[in-house]
Amino acid sequence: ISPFRPIIIFCLLCAAYIMVSFQRLCMGIIAPDIAASLAIGSVALGWLGSGFHYSYALFQIPGGYIIDRYGPRIPLVFFFGLAGGLGRLLFASASDFSMSLTARLLTGAGIVTASSFKTISMLFSGGHYMRFVSIFMATGGLGMLLSATPLALLNAACGWQNILYTVGLLGLALGAAFHFL
């Protein structure tokens, strides 16, 4: 087993947290384009924005149990990687409000924070744990930063669907990496 394996896993966890932070805030930038694409109003946009958060909160309950009982791999692979990745892909291809809301609910199921804390505690002991948790939490700021001006520029150049297709594929790839590592 490589001595770099814990660092590689940690970097993957940080990438997942960047993606989750990005997903939390991206609706603020791409909302006008989504509203135009789906022909929906501000109330429906509010549901799409909050659907991610409601789902994320709801999945903390079974997620915590699963993490304690079976370890963090299952939530990272199935909730973040599979459900979240498929949710992002479904949202990018949504043609109506109900499909897009279902996709946002799937995307919100990713329980990356609690799973990450558990994984970090298993990989790094003593004083190293808090250092790595601090770095992990700071990477969320990068996801927030990416969901602002960089997203607006990419949205103008590529369109929101292409961006979310890419993010969805990255989520599936991260889920596969969590499975194999």
Side-chain angles (χ1 to χ4, degrees):
I1 295 177
S2 168
F4 298 108
R5 186 171 183 244
I7 298 298
I8 292 168
I9 293 170
F10 176 74
C11 289
L12 293 172
L13 292 172
C14 289
Y17 193 53
I18 289 168
M19 192 175 297
V20 168
S21 297
F22 174 86
Q23 282 293 139
R24 282 185 191 137
L25 301 175
C26 73
M27 288 294 292
I29 296 295
I30 60 178
D33 293 333
I34 291 171
S37 294
L38 300 176
I40 58 175
S42 58
V43 172
L45 277 174
W47 276 101
L48 292 180
S50 62
F52 174 90
H53 299 285
Y54 288 131
S55 178
Y56 191 83
L58 180 65
F59 273 86
Q60 296 301 308
I61 297 164
Y65 173 78
I66 292 168
I67 292 165
D68 287 343
R69 174 99 175 161
Y70 303 105
R73 178 183 273 178
I74 291 172
L76 287 169
V77 172
F78 291 105
F79 293 130
F80 172 78
L82 193 59
L86 291 176
R88 290 176 198 97
L89 294 173
L90 183 63
F91 189 73
S93 63
S95 58
D96 60 26
F97 171 73
S98 61
M99 186 180 196
S100 59
L101 181 60
T102 300
R104 284 292 283 176
L105 292 170
L106 271 173
T107 303
I111 317 168
V112 72
T113 311
S115 299
S116 296
F117 289 155
K118 179 69 172 180
T119 303
I120 293 168
S121 74
M122 295 164 64
L123 295 174
F124 306 104
S125 61
H128 297 295
Y129 171 77
M130 284 312 298
R131 287 186 194 111
F132 281 97
V133 166
S134 299
I135 294 166
F136 172 80
M137 294 303 293
T139 62
L142 183 56
M144 293 175 200
L145 176 68
L146 292 173
S147 68
T149 302
L151 176 59
L153 295 172
L154 273 174
N155 187 37
C158 306
W160 68 274
Q161 290 100 338
N162 291 326
I163 295 166
L164 292 183
Y165 278 126
T166 303
V167 172
L169 292 173
L170 287 172
L172 290 173
L174 279 170
F178 289 133
H179 173 71
F180 292 111
L181 291 175

